[in-house]
């Protein structure tokens, strides 16, 4: 954010008056002010802050993840400043970097607000976050807008509220209906695999379809793209994609002892399958899913597994009618 520059709807009446005054002042002409149009706004339109505005200016620093929701929030900030006089500086960082910042939060005391993934929220809440009832007069009344189940999942750690849900999301399979419904593609798939091309319901089906598209891919041909992608730029992203397969295979992370652990037989089998699928998927060395979503939107992928909130922009793109999900 540029220091001293504030974004408001422009006050054209005041702007015109100031420009005219400066121009005629340069010509040494004395003007007698005559108001023809009402100037009903006192909003600042330049980088110069008026004296009565200075006391209103405060700043909050927000650390957040990249997502369409973050983009939308950025667009709302000028209106938020206009109503409250509070600046919000947004620091948008990938998942892995946010995790490291939370792990060394004492070295980053300038952050006031944190948007974190719910997966790591319980690990950092008690040692990093301020309870909501300790902020101002207490903010726990905000919880009443959510069910007890939602509060337990997204707000509470040991029955103390530390956060509020922002944009809850789940992983979904998105696929191109134009490819799955194309007669030629369906015939080619049947001849290659002996099976009908359908939306996959298991990772075995998913990988089989990915191998088919990989074998027939042609660079630059949107009708013959990669079948799927794997984002491998950070441990957090890899674990998210791996755990999805692990859960689908019947594995669990928390057992009756409440100690996080993997079931070795399932974990080893799924790990071998995950590593194998890297050989026929589009491997993307990125710390977030933005690149894989962009490739899907541009027609370079037949399928993509992603968190649904990250697909908000794609859902309103020209290809929206060609997208299916499961």
């Amino acid at each position: 954010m540029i220091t001293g520059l504030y974004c408001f709807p422009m006050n054209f009446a005041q702007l015109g008056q100031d420009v005219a005054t400066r121009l005629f002042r340069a010509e040494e002409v004395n003007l007698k002010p005559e108001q023809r149009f009402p100037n009903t706004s006192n909003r600042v339109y330049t980088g110069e802050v008026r004296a009565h505005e200075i006391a209103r200016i405060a700043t909050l620093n927000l650390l957040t993840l990249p997502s369409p929701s973050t983009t939308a929030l950025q667009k709302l900030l000028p209106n938020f400043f206009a109503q409250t006089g509070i600046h919000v500086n947004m620091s948008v960082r990938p998942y892995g970097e946010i995790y490291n910042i939370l792990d060394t939060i004492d070295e980053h005391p300038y952050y006031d607000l944190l948007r974190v993934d719910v997966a790591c929220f319980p690990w950092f809440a008690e040692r990093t976050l301020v309870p909501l009832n300790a902020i101002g007069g207490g903010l726990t009344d905000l919880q009443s807008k959510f069910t007890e189940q939602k509060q337990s999942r997204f707000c509470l750690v040991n029955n103390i509220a530390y956060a509020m849900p922002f944009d809850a999301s789940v992983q979904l399979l998105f696929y191109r209906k134009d490819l799955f419904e194309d007669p030629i593609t369906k015939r080619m798939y049947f001849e290659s695999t002996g099976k009908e091309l359908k939306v996959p319901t298991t990772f075995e089906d998913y990988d089989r379809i990915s191998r088919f598209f990989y074998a027939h891919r042609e660079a630059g041909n949107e009708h013959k793209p990669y079948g799927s992608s794997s984002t491998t730029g950070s441990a957090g992203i890899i674990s998210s994609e791996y755990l999805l397969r692990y859960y689908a295979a019947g594995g669990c992370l928390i057992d009756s002892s409440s100690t996080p652990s993997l079931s070795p037989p399932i974990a080893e089998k799924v790990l071998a399958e995950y590593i194998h699928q890297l050989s026929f998927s589009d491997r993307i060395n990125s710390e977030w899913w933005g690149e894989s979503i962009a490739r899907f939107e541009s027609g370079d992928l037949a399928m993509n597994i992603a968190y649904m909130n990250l697909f908000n922009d794609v859902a309103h793109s020209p290809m929206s009618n060609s997208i299916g999900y499961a």
Side-chain angles (χ1 to χ4, degrees):
M1 181 176 289
I2 302 175
T3 303
L5 183 63
Y6 308 102
C7 301
F8 291 104
M10 289 186 67
N11 180 353
F12 289 100
Q14 184 66 45
L15 174 62
Q17 180 179 320
D18 288 358
V19 169
T21 300
R22 288 176 182 268
L23 287 174
F24 282 101
R25 184 183 301 161
E27 298 293 332
E28 297 183 352
V29 176
N30 293 324
L31 291 179
K32 181 179 180 181
E34 181 180 352
Q35 186 172 4
R36 295 293 184 90
F37 300 96
N39 179 13
T40 58
S41 174
N42 63 354
R43 288 177 175 170
V44 180
Y45 60 84
T46 70
E48 181 181 349
V49 184
R50 297 178 180 178
H52 71 276
E53 292 280 344
I54 294 177
R56 297 177 60 236
I57 297 175
T59 300
L60 291 173
N61 296 313
L62 168 64
L63 176 65
T64 185
L65 295 163
S67 74
S69 299
T70 295
T71 302
L73 185 60
Q74 287 175 316
K75 294 178 180 179
L76 293 174
L77 292 182
N79 286 334
F80 178 77
F81 176 79
Q83 294 181 35
T84 66
I86 299 173
H87 276 303
V88 178
N89 296 324
M90 294 185 68
S91 178
V92 183
R93 296 289 183 268
Y95 181 91
E97 189 172 337
I98 287 184
Y99 184 94
N100 292 333
I101 290 173
L102 290 172
D103 201 36
T104 56
I105 195 64
D106 291 340
E107 300 175 13
H108 307 274
Y110 35 82
Y111 288 118
D112 304 297
L113 302 168
L114 307 173
R115 181 195 170 198
V116 300
D117 191 283
V118 68
C120 63
F121 165 59
W123 300 93
F124 294 106
E126 292 182 304
R127 65 185 179 91
T128 302
L129 306 178
V130 178
L132 296 185
N133 61 8
I135 299 175
L139 301 177
T140 52
D141 60 307
L142 294 175
Q143 295 172 234
S144 62
K145 301 180 183 296
F146 302 96
T147 64
E148 291 185 2
Q149 183 181 15
K150 292 292 190 297
Q151 292 180 37
S152 176
R153 182 76 176 91
F154 299 106
C155 305
L156 306 178
V157 174
N158 292 329
N159 292 320
I160 297 177
Y162 289 94
M164 300 300 297
F166 180 62
D167 59 347
S169 186
V170 295
Q171 286 167 293
L172 293 178
L173 167 66
F174 297 90
Y175 63 94
R176 286 179 51 188
K177 292 190 294 185
D178 60 319
L179 294 178
F180 277 76
E181 296 172 0
D182 178 63
I184 296 177
T185 303
K186 291 170 71 72
R187 182 62 188 176
M188 290 175 60
Y189 183 79
F190 180 79
E191 291 178 354
S192 297
T193 66
K195 297 181 179 296
E196 183 180 354
L197 179 59
K198 295 181 178 180
V199 178
T201 57
T202 67
F203 274 106
E204 181 182 1
D205 296 338
Y206 180 82
D207 289 344
R208 184 188 304 111
I209 294 172
S210 294
R211 283 195 300 270
F212 164 77
F213 278 104
Y214 177 80
H216 295 85
R217 74 191 189 285
E218 291 181 6
N221 186 346
E222 66 176 15
H223 298 292
K224 294 185 177 181
Y226 273 93
S228 61
S229 68
S230 294
T231 302
T232 58
S234 75
I237 299 298
I238 292 173
S239 65
S240 180
E241 296 191 355
Y242 166 78
L243 285 173
L244 185 63
R245 290 173 172 263
Y246 175 74
Y247 295 141
C252 62
L253 194 60
I254 305 294
D255 57 20
S256 57
S257 66
S258 299
T259 301
S261 62
L262 298 174
S263 172
I266 298 176
E268 292 172 8
K269 178 178 180 294
V270 171
L271 180 59
E273 293 172 351
Y274 172 80
I275 293 174
H276 178 60
Q277 63 87 33
L278 293 175
S279 64
F280 51 81
S281 66
D282 187 8
R283 294 178 62 175
I284 300 174
N285 185 24
S286 176
E287 294 184 341
W288 200 243
W289 287 285
E291 178 62 25
S292 68
I293 292 171
R295 294 189 188 184
F296 179 85
E297 185 176 11
S298 64
D300 295 333
L301 297 174
M303 303 179 293
N304 193 20
I305 295 177
Y307 286 92
M308 65 179 188
N309 64 317
L310 302 179
F311 250 77
N312 287 349
D313 292 341
V314 183
H316 297 88
S317 70
M319 74 171 302
S320 60
N321 291 333
S322 299
I323 300 175
Y325 61 90

